[in-house]
Amino acid sequence: MNANVTEINVTEIIDTDAGAARITWHKARRARLVLAVSHGAGGGIEARDLQALAAVLPAHGVTVARVEQPWRVAGKKMAPAPKTLDVGWRGVWPALAEPGLPVISGGRSAGARVACRTAAELGAHAVLALAFPLHPPGKPEKSRAEELLGAGVPTLVVQGGNDPWGRPAEFPEGSYELVEVPYGDHGFAVPKRADIGQEEALAIITDGVARWAGSLV
């Protein structure tokens, strides 16, 4: 086992004004950063990208905290309004910051939007936006670019090349970095006909995030 990683994962329930949230910690032995990542509006922390980051990043000195929003913990099937998601995220932040390390605020899809909207007020060190939903499918005029551009901290976007919620070429110019996962859809799944396999697609994500996180310290 890598000396920088612990195999012990800790689950913690946090009371917030939106209900009880849950944090699953994947701790690095000699952590330099905490990466907090939440899920989207249609899934949980078992998403392939969140699992991959939790498995890989601790070896790079990054403790990963996968955060389940209160609506998921309560067993509901539909996410609440964005402002309620923000309330839940604010509520778990003290626990994320408690180790005393810089915290990267992150998430996938709706979770990425939450991270962008709240980064400045919470004092996030940076933002990781996985599968940022730039616009609803087929409705590019309903852009959410302002949320991304307004994060106010170093930001990395990881986007599937075929994501109907926003392909990399659709993203506006800005000070953020962008890593493209070729052929990937909104969940970073790649079709069998693609030139890369699913494991290679996930490696693009974890390698890109590890490199970027290393540049922040």
Side-chain angles (χ1 to χ4, degrees):
M1 183 176 67
N2 189 302
N4 198 39
V5 185
T6 176
E7 295 290 341
I8 300 173
N9 299 330
V10 178
T11 300
E12 182 179 10
I13 299 295
I14 305 295
D15 289 328
T16 81
D17 288 341
R22 183 163 48 218
I23 304 174
T24 300
W25 294 92
H26 307 265
K27 297 186 177 182
R29 290 193 184 276
R30 291 186 290 273
R32 298 167 296 153
L33 295 166
V34 170
L35 169 60
V37 286
S38 190
H39 49 79
I45 62 169
E46 69 279 2
R48 58 171 59 86
D49 49 338
L50 303 187
Q51 290 195 80
L53 290 169
V56 172
L57 268 291
H60 295 269
V62 180
T63 286
V64 177
R66 291 189 293 163
V67 179
E68 293 173 81
Q69 280 270 5
W71 68 274
R72 285 285 297 188
V73 176
K76 297 178 181 178
K77 295 184 178 181
M78 293 189 64
K83 64 180 181 181
T84 303
L85 296 178
D86 292 354
V87 169
W89 192 244
R90 292 186 186 102
V92 300
W93 193 262
L96 299 171
E98 195 275 334
L101 298 169
V103 181
I104 300 170
S105 185
R108 71 161 356 269
S109 194
R113 294 181 64 193
V114 173
C116 289
R117 287 194 299 263
T118 61
E121 67 172 280
L122 294 176
H125 189 62
V127 163
L128 172 62
L130 301 158
F132 186 85
L134 185 64
H135 57 72
K139 298 180 179 179
E141 71 279 2
K142 295 188 176 182
S143 176
R144 295 152 178 161
E146 285 188 9
E147 290 181 352
L148 175 64
L149 298 175
V153 295
T155 300
L156 176 67
V157 176
V158 182
Q159 203 74 8
N162 288 326
D163 190 337
W165 293 80
R167 291 171 175 79
E170 297 180 78
F171 278 71
E173 291 186 4
S175 58
Y176 59 89
E177 296 184 47
L178 191 149
V179 170
E180 178 176 349
V181 181
Y183 307 99
D185 64 12
H186 196 56
F188 297 116
V190 296
K192 292 183 178 180
R193 66 179 184 278
D195 294 337
I196 63 172
Q198 191 62 61
E199 290 303 313
E200 187 177 352
L202 290 175
I204 291 172
I205 297 171
T206 55
D207 289 351
V209 174
R211 174 199 57 75
W212 173 73
S215 74
L216 297 174
V217 293

